[in-house]
Amino acid sequence: MFEVPEDRKYLESHEYATTDGDTATVGITDFAQDELGDVVFVELPEVGDEITQGEEFGVVESIKAVSDLYAPISGTVTAVNEELFDRPELVNDDPYGDGWMLEVDVSDDGAFDGLLSADEYREQTE
């Protein structure tokens, strides 16, 4: 069974977002990192870039595949986890903690409404 924290919302494409006020943290799920295998490279947007819900914002490359990353919410990137550029394996080791990818200033108060709850996401991965 994969870890699916209750404090996040999920995309069917295995990205998550969790919010603390107007800022959201974005990354990929435990299920996604397991399916990918060992992550060897991460390409992310820069601080100040705009991301749009449902659209590609980056790439993650593993020993098995190269996968696009899709934005669970829209907004302006306020921080990028630069540690992933030197240590992409953090995505495998701790996808919900040290392996986070972006912090985003959320531009739409209803951004989380269309995302999956932890239970809905869990059902999808079983």
Side-chain angles (χ1 to χ4, degrees):
M1 191 70 160
F2 296 99
E3 183 181 359
V4 183
E6 296 289 333
D7 67 341
R8 288 148 218 268
K9 295 286 191 164
Y10 301 87
L11 273 181
E12 289 180 9
S13 56
H14 310 292
E15 292 83 5
Y16 70 80
T18 183
T19 185
D20 181 17
D22 293 333
T23 302
T25 301
V26 173
I28 65 169
T29 66
D30 189 28
F31 177 86
Q33 70 77 24
D34 185 70
E35 289 289 302
L36 284 166
D38 294 336
V39 174
V40 295
F41 177 76
V42 178
E43 181 181 312
L44 300 172
E46 296 182 8
V47 171
D49 287 353
E50 295 288 325
I51 62 171
T52 302
Q53 188 173 38
E55 293 187 9
E56 183 185 325
F57 74 82
V59 174
V60 63
E61 183 177 337
S62 71
I63 58 171
K64 291 183 184 178
V66 175
S67 298
D68 293 332
L69 298 167
Y70 295 92
I73 46 121
S74 296
T76 304
V77 177
T78 57
V80 174
N81 187 353
E82 295 188 12
E83 194 164 354
L84 296 181
F85 301 136
D86 294 326
R87 297 181 55 214
E89 68 274 8
L90 288 173
V91 173
N92 296 113
D93 297 341
D94 191 10
Y96 300 117
D98 291 340
W100 66 275
M101 295 181 172
L102 307 175
E103 288 184 353
V104 178
D105 185 16
V106 181
S107 62
D108 177 9
D109 290 339
F112 287 84
D113 295 346
L115 300 177
L116 301 173
S117 68
D119 287 339
E120 291 167 330
Y121 180 74
R122 207 175 281 114
E123 285 176 23
Q124 161 185 300
T125 60
E126 291 178 349

